[in-house]
Amino acid sequence: MLDKKTRVLLVDDDEDDFIITRDTIDEIPGRNYVLDWTASFGEALELIRQEKHDVYLVDYRLGAHDGLELISEAVEGGSLAPFILLTGQSNRETDEKAMHVGASDYLVKGTFDPFSLERSIRYSIEHAKSMAEIQKLNSELEQRVEERTRELGEAVKKLEETNRSLYEAQVEIRKALQKEKELHELKSRFVTIASHEFRTPLSTVLSSASLIGKYKTTEDDEKRQKHVERIKSAVSNLTTILNDFLSISRIEEGKIYNVPTTFDLKEFTAEIVDEMQGLVKIGQKIHYTHSGSETIVTLDKQLLKNIILNLLSNASKYSGEGKQIYINTGVDSTIDLAVKDEGIGIPDADKVHLFTPFFRAQNVTNIQGTGLGLNIVNRYVDIMGGSLNYKSELNEGTTFHITFPIHPTTA
């Protein structure tokens, strides 16, 4: 495995750049790379189509064409290989254009060393493998849906051949086909959300990891730490996404149970608020109050904690800096929990779909999220025997109110 050579194709109309790139690759420890070169746009597309190389280094300037055009045509042609764009200068616009057409990374010519080039090649190949695996899973899921649909079609024919009640059979078949349609739609939303939400933090990790390698002096410590924090944040986002997917899976499989214990609700909630206060946006403050003198309750602590964390996290995420967040608990004939924010609110047209898995309101498309949080909260509340309602006004804020019975039932 260590002896396997990684084949690299450089697409650049300047032979001097080829020589520089070749010398840089020769200096990579281990020298497990084979570099080929073409200066022709058309020949490059043909070589990409032949899939003889593991990764492609593409110059931004290619005579009458440019590297973005080459990458775009290659991706549209079905190529899943990683592309690294080589540019003459670093700017955000070029970075965004490169990622938009399908590039895995970009490097500024004249600034990268053997270590940076090797790291970019290695990370780009791994990223391409991850994306290929997602597409493979997508194809397998589509095949399963098609097979199931075909089985249902065959079942229709058999039912029509029998002397059973045609009306009842048609009703059951419509229900089954509707479930298959919902499954297909859910699959499509999952693939779209997963691909987008995974790619964003993965691209952040890749970009920051590449830049860290360029900061080698003590004076660069602050810049290096900045990118370390970006990587930590991206990994945290990935963990949150995966936890949401896992929670939905466990709920669907019936593996989430209501296990009540007796504890002090006021102390419990205050601890969660203290934990969340350090995670909200700049200027935001969480205000906690408890109504009444009674504080002892019997509820599932883990499910309740997940509910509160999710609602507080959403209140912060969908509110601007400096906005206030309010949480209130109370114990009387019922156990009450309310979380109020001063955020962007929920459009009236989207309220009917608010608790649908993977659904995201039209005014939050630029805010990271999976569309699973409120669905999970709603189902946790249901498992605990409670009820959830909310009020929301656009650009004014949202209040979620949850009520639990004073004497819970186990599930």
Side-chain angles (χ1 to χ4, degrees), residues 263-277 286-290 295 297 299 301 304-305 308-309 312 326-331 335-339:
F263 59 95
D264 189 304
L265 177 62
K266 185 176 180 181
E267 292 181 359
F268 176 76
T269 307
E271 290 176 0
I272 297 175
V273 170
D274 287 342
E275 177 183 338
M276 281 297 300
Q277 187 61 62
I286 304 175
H287 303 272
Y288 172 51
T289 57
H290 180 82
T295 62
V297 298
L299 293 170
K301 291 181 71 174
L304 181 61
K305 181 175 183 179
I308 295 174
L309 286 174
L312 289 177
Y326 303 90
I327 176 171
N328 176 263
T329 55
V331 182
I335 303 168
D336 297 308
L337 166 68
V339 175

Side-chain angles (χ1 to χ4, degrees), residues 12 112 143 193 214 216 224 227 234 236 247 259 304 374-375 389:
D12 195 318
F112 59 84
Q143 184 177 356
I193 290 290
K214 300 177 182 179
K216 300 180 179 180
R224 192 158 41 240
H227 289 290
S236 176
S247 295
V259 185
L304 181 61
L374 287 179
N375 177 264
N389 57 70

Side-chain angles (χ1 to χ4, degrees), residues 215-229:
Y215 303 135
K216 300 180 179 180
T217 65
T218 304
E219 290 76 11
D220 291 329
D221 281 348
E222 183 176 344
K223 296 179 181 178
R224 192 158 41 240
Q225 186 60 34
K226 172 186 175 182
H227 289 290
V228 169
E229 294 303 321

Side-chain angles (χ1 to χ4, degrees), residues 384-403:
M384 296 171 69
S387 61
L388 183 155
N389 57 70
Y390 69 94
K391 294 181 179 179
S392 184
E393 294 294 334
L394 202 60
N395 299 319
E396 292 186 10
T398 303
T399 301
F400 286 93
H401 185 263
I402 299 173
T403 301

Side-chain angles (χ1 to χ4, degrees), residues 98-277:
M99 296 303 172
H100 179 73
V101 299
S104 300
D105 195 8
Y106 85 100
L107 297 172
V108 179
K109 293 194 294 185
T111 66
F112 59 84
D113 55 19
F115 175 82
S116 300
L117 180 58
E118 188 274 339
R119 190 183 191 89
S120 180
I121 291 174
R122 179 160 45 86
Y123 274 59
S124 296
I125 290 175
E126 289 302 316
H127 180 259
K129 289 180 180 178
S130 298
M131 296 305 296
E133 184 64 23
I134 289 177
Q135 292 192 11
K136 177 184 176 184
L137 293 173
N138 181 23
S139 297
E140 291 175 354
L141 189 53
E142 287 181 340
Q143 184 177 356
R144 288 175 58 190
V145 171
E146 291 175 359
E147 291 175 355
R148 182 61 178 152
T149 303
R150 185 170 60 254
E151 291 172 0
L152 287 169
E154 294 172 357
V156 171
K157 293 180 181 179
K158 291 180 181 179
L159 286 171
E160 289 176 345
E161 293 171 358
T162 65
N163 219 15
R164 299 173 186 174
S165 172
L166 182 59
Y167 174 76
E168 292 181 359
Q170 288 176 333
V171 169
E172 291 303 314
I173 291 168
R174 287 194 187 101
K175 288 181 179 179
L177 289 173
Q178 180 61 32
K179 288 183 178 179
E180 290 302 318
K181 181 181 178 182
E182 292 172 356
L183 173 63
H184 184 75
E185 292 174 351
L186 195 63
K187 179 270 302 180
S188 297
R189 289 199 298 270
F190 166 76
V191 171
T192 300
I193 290 290
S195 297
H196 179 269
E197 295 301 322
F198 285 162
R199 181 170 185 171
T200 299
L202 283 173
S203 296
T204 298
V205 171
L206 176 61
S207 175
S208 291
S210 298
L211 290 170
I212 285 174
K214 300 177 182 179
Y215 303 135
K216 300 180 179 180
T217 65
T218 304
E219 290 76 11
D220 291 329
D221 281 348
E222 183 176 344
K223 296 179 181 178
R224 192 158 41 240
Q225 186 60 34
K226 172 186 175 182
H227 289 290
V228 169
E229 294 303 321
R230 287 186 65 197
I231 291 174
K232 288 181 179 179
S233 176
V235 171
S236 176
N237 288 339
L238 279 175
T239 301
T240 300
I241 294 167
L242 292 173
N243 284 339
D244 282 350
F245 289 155
L246 179 60
S247 295
I248 285 292
S249 175
R250 293 184 65 203
I251 291 173
E252 294 293 346
E253 294 171 1
K255 294 182 179 180
I256 301 293
Y257 306 99
N258 183 26
V259 185
T261 58
T262 301
F263 59 95
D264 189 304
L265 177 62
K266 185 176 180 181
E267 292 181 359
F268 176 76
T269 307
E271 290 176 0
I272 297 175
V273 170
D274 287 342
E275 177 183 338
M276 281 297 300
Q277 187 61 62

